[in-house]
Amino acid sequence: MAYASNTSLFSTFVVIFLVATLIISVSAAGNFYQNVDVTWGDGRGKIVNDGQLLTLSLDRSSGSGFQSKREYLFGKIDMQLKLVPGNSAGTVTTYYLSSQGPTHDEIDLEFLGNVTGQPYTLHTNIYSQGKGEREQQFRLWFDPTADFHTYSILWNPQSIIFYVDGTPIRVFKNMKSIGVSYPNNQPMRVYASLWDAEDWATQGGLVKTDWSKAPFTATFRNFNADACVWARGQSSCRGSTRTGPWMNQQLDATSQKRLRWVQKNYMIYNYCTDYHRFSQGLPKECTVSKF
């Protein structure tokens, strides 16, 4: 009887220990103290709520920003954002992946503010070997200042896919076979910032920042990087078969349908249809099916 009692007690302890361990690991996944460094802003970037939230602020003197402690070479990056409310004209909140140097790679999400009651513009771009000019812009189908929404970048050797709340909004395929450069050999960090771009951000710079509304604040939470960590010149995924499903993930038929819905109803600019800008011919990737 005593043996049974002790066994039961031990089993209960193991269960409690495992649950506690799980809670700790889940919390750590989104803990900003562990995952990022606030790199500029002189105190305007703040980690709060025991590392569960990070706020970036902008005033007339400065904006602010942070970067991930680690570099990644392929992965799925998720971040929840609540954007600057009210009159956010002239402000830009960014969340992106980037390497460094003149031939850097970059995968860009920029949220361009607007006057009260007018929608944000979500500006996306992809740089490879220092060359960008691959802009697509979208409106969102919700108010991004009222609550947190999840913005994701899936980056694998085949494709880059942008998601908003799990809905794909853009895909860029690896088309090196036809001479289109693709970010696949430079590890990148995650960056985020809030800064003033009143000379171009809102209605082409016609609407300026109303500094009487400062400080402007954007809030981040639940940063998660299910990704290959780059350290000491090598990837944590090298030789491993335990990478996530994102490593080979592509858009299935349902996701393709949702992507078409977004691009039909919410895309407001696509470099692949800007014949005036590319009067000598559209970029090569624009002539190939995205699927």
Side-chain angles (χ1 to χ4, degrees):
M1 197 70 157
Y3 174 79
S5 176
N6 289 338
T7 301
S8 176
L9 184 63
F10 177 76
S11 299
T12 301
F13 173 80
V14 169
V15 169
I16 293 172
F17 175 80
L18 290 174
V19 169
T21 302
L22 177 62
I23 292 171
I24 291 169
S25 66
V26 169
S27 299
N31 191 293
F32 284 106
Y33 284 121
Q34 297 180 23
N35 293 325
V36 309
D37 294 310
V38 177
T39 49
W40 63 282
D42 195 22
R44 293 172 180 83
K46 298 177 181 178
I47 299 174
V48 297
N49 285 22
D50 295 323
Q52 300 306 301
L53 291 178
L54 192 156
T55 62
L56 295 180
S57 293
L58 163 70
D59 57 34
R60 189 182 284 275
S61 297
S62 177
S64 49
F66 67 87
Q67 69 181 45
S68 63
K69 293 180 182 291
R70 293 174 168 178
E71 292 181 293
Y72 308 102
L73 185 61
F74 304 129
K76 185 171 185 289
I77 312 296
D78 303 309
M79 186 86 75
Q80 292 191 325
L81 281 73
K82 182 158 62 172
L83 299 179
V84 175
N87 186 353
S88 57
T91 71
V92 177
T93 304
T94 71
Y95 152 51
Y96 61 102
L97 290 163
S98 184
S99 59
Q100 298 297 308
T103 58
H104 77 292
D105 294 339
E106 187 172 324
I107 304 170
D108 240 352
L109 288 162
E110 298 185 348
F111 301 87
L112 313 184
N114 213 334
V115 295
T116 302
Q118 296 300 309
Y120 268 80
T121 296
L122 171 52
H123 176 96
T124 69
N125 202 356
I126 295 166
Y127 288 77
S128 181
Q129 297 296 311
K131 183 180 184 301
E133 299 185 340
R134 297 185 175 113
E135 302 92 344
Q136 290 183 356
Q137 294 183 336
F138 304 84
R139 301 293 193 208
L140 295 168
W141 49 95
F142 52 82
D143 178 358
T145 73
D147 204 350
F148 287 93
H149 292 269
T150 304
Y151 304 90
S152 305
I153 298 169
L154 187 149
W155 169 39
N156 65 32
Q158 297 83 39
S159 298
I160 295 165
I161 307 173
F162 297 80
Y163 293 89
V164 175
D165 288 335
T167 294
I169 65 168
R170 177 177 185 179
V171 59
F172 183 81
K173 295 180 68 175
N174 185 341
M175 291 174 274
K176 280 197 162 188
S177 60
I178 62 169
V180 178
S181 60
Y182 183 83
N184 67 349
N185 58 17
Q186 295 188 52
M188 297 194 269
R189 293 187 191 274
V190 178
Y191 295 86
S193 61
L194 174 59
W195 51 286
D196 175 45
E198 66 174 8
D199 56 334
W200 64 271
T202 305
Q203 299 178 34
L206 294 177
V207 181
K208 304 301 182 182
T209 305
D210 181 356
W211 292 111
S212 71
K213 308 298 185 191
F216 304 97
T217 301
T219 308
F220 299 74
R221 75 178 186 189
N222 290 344
F223 167 52
N224 185 66
D226 183 5
C228 300
V229 175
W230 186 266
R232 295 182 292 278
Q234 118 175 3
S235 167
S236 63
C237 297
R238 183 179 180 184
S240 172
T241 59
R242 294 182 295 173
T243 57
W246 53 263
M247 182 60 88
N248 297 296
Q249 185 172 330
Q250 302 297 308
L251 294 181
D252 60 19
T254 300
S255 296
Q256 291 176 24
K257 184 177 180 180
R258 294 169 73 191
L259 176 72
R260 291 189 184 99
W261 173 78
V262 171
Q263 296 197 343
K264 177 182 177 181
N265 293 286
Y266 295 100
M267 181 185 283
I268 60 172
Y269 177 78
N270 183 3
Y271 77 108
C272 278
T273 59
D274 194 340
Y275 293 94
H276 177 75
R277 178 182 175 189
F278 297 105
S279 58
Q280 302 302 309
L282 294 173
K284 287 181 181 180
E285 65 266 23
C286 298
T287 64
V288 177
S289 169
K290 65 175 66 72
F291 307 123

